[in-house]
Amino acid sequence: YQEWEQVKTDYAPLPGSVIELLPGTACNFIARHYPRKPVVKLKQKPDRYKVKLEGSVELVFDRRGNLIEIDG
């Protein structure tokens, strides 16, 4: 469990260096399935990551980076 809880932006996509805080499996899923949807918010919970993409799509990954939910 890393030392961050939430990273968000109101005006621009999050930089790649921030997105790389996610497990590689999650990064690969986002790049493959949502290549044109920038990440605008990351939230870390003890058992999962929540990723909000531009356009109100929210993805939830487990701690290993496996997708467990898509909302939007």
Side-chain angles (χ1 to χ4, degrees), residues 4-61:
W4 61 276
E5 183 178 319
Q6 181 172 301
V7 181
K8 67 179 181 175
T9 179
D10 293 326
Y11 304 107
L14 293 175
S17 59
V18 173
I19 297 165
E20 290 173 0
L21 294 171
L22 294 169
T25 307
C27 291
N28 291 339
F29 180 89
I30 295 166
R32 187 175 324 118
H33 295 282
Y34 296 95
R36 292 184 170 27
K37 293 275 188 186
V39 175
V40 295
K41 182 177 178 183
L42 295 179
K43 191 168 189 177
Q44 179 177 220
K45 301 280 189 172
D47 62 337
R48 66 187 64 203
Y49 297 98
K50 290 186 176 184
V51 180
K52 185 171 183 182
L53 305 178
E54 185 177 81
S56 74
V57 174
E58 189 170 282
L59 308 172
V60 181
F61 297 92

